[in-house]
Amino acid sequence: MNLSLYNMLQDFKNFLFPKLCACCDAVLLKDEQLICTFCRNELPLYPNFFDGDHDLHKILYGRVLVDQAASLFYFEKKGIIQNLIHDLKYKGNEDLSFHLGEWLGNILQEAGWQHKIEVVIPVPLHPQRMRERGYNQVEGFGKAIADKLSASYNDGLLKRKSNSTTQVFKNRLARTEVVQNHFYVEGRSDVKDKQILLVDDLVTTGATLEACSLALKEAGVTKLNIATIAISK
Ligand SMILES: [Zn+2]
């Protein structure tokens, strides 16, 4: 097929199935990828300075000790990041997940994290939700970061017990108690004495990350680091 015909068919395909911005649903222009130029300029970037000032340390203070933390964006209700997280979770936008992982991976690489991480582990989805959606929205994010840091990615080590319901209790303390025992490590020898990066999409109360961290620490992880796509303001 000659090139101009190929381009014409591509244009026609884009006309029938236009690609939309993950933040505002505007039709993307030809040279825009996943997020439109307007939204890219509006993204509430999280300032990563890596000297223990990440808000996650404050959120998890007195609950579990995290070595280093990093996030890409601030999250605000009704803000553009809420749409972006929604696209990841419910529209199966795996390209977006991978793109965001490459983005944060580059930042972490520049900060020298490739010597600090051996295994990247995603927060596991509830098995029932996994069956419904068929994918974990942080998989691409975690894989891209692992790639940038020359670490391995393993989603078979940290497991969620199937009978857990994390959204039942609104109260932070009650939720923590409920979530606490719902994660366990399978194959402890693969995490023992290792430097781990736990990845998740969004931090709000920190209850899930706390529970996962405790399970990993209990299994003998030496350094526990966390990276998320966004963190609540
Ligand atoms: Zn947009």
Side-chain angles (χ1 to χ4, degrees), residues 37-38 40 44 54 83 88 96 120 127 156 162 166 170 178 183 185 192 202 211 232:
T37 310
F38 178 79
R40 274 191 196 269
H54 194 288
N83 294 339
L88 277 175
L96 178 64
V120 176
S162 57
T166 57
K170 290 267 186 275
V178 169
F183 297 91
V185 173
K192 195 175 182 307
L202 175 66
S232 270

Side-chain angles (χ1 to χ4, degrees), residues 20-26 28 32 34-40 80:
L20 306 179
C21 170
C23 298
C24 74
D25 283 342
L28 291 173
E32 289 175 337
L34 303 161
I35 300 169
C36 78
T37 310
F38 178 79
C39 289
R40 274 191 196 269
I80 58 176

Side-chain angles (χ1 to χ4, degrees), residues 175-194:
R175 265 197 72 175
T176 304
E177 284 166 9
V178 169
V179 172
Q180 203 109 85
N181 298 315
H182 289 161
F183 297 91
Y184 64 100
V185 173
E186 205 171 77
R188 297 166 74 93
S189 57
D190 292 321
V191 300
K192 195 175 182 307
D193 303 325
K194 290 270 164 60

Side-chain angles (χ1 to χ4, degrees), residues 126-140:
H126 189 288
Q128 193 187 331
R129 217 162 285 164
M130 187 71 192
R131 276 195 296 275
E132 286 161 10
R133 285 190 212 152
Y135 72 99
N136 183 338
Q137 70 272 14
V138 292
E139 185 177 316

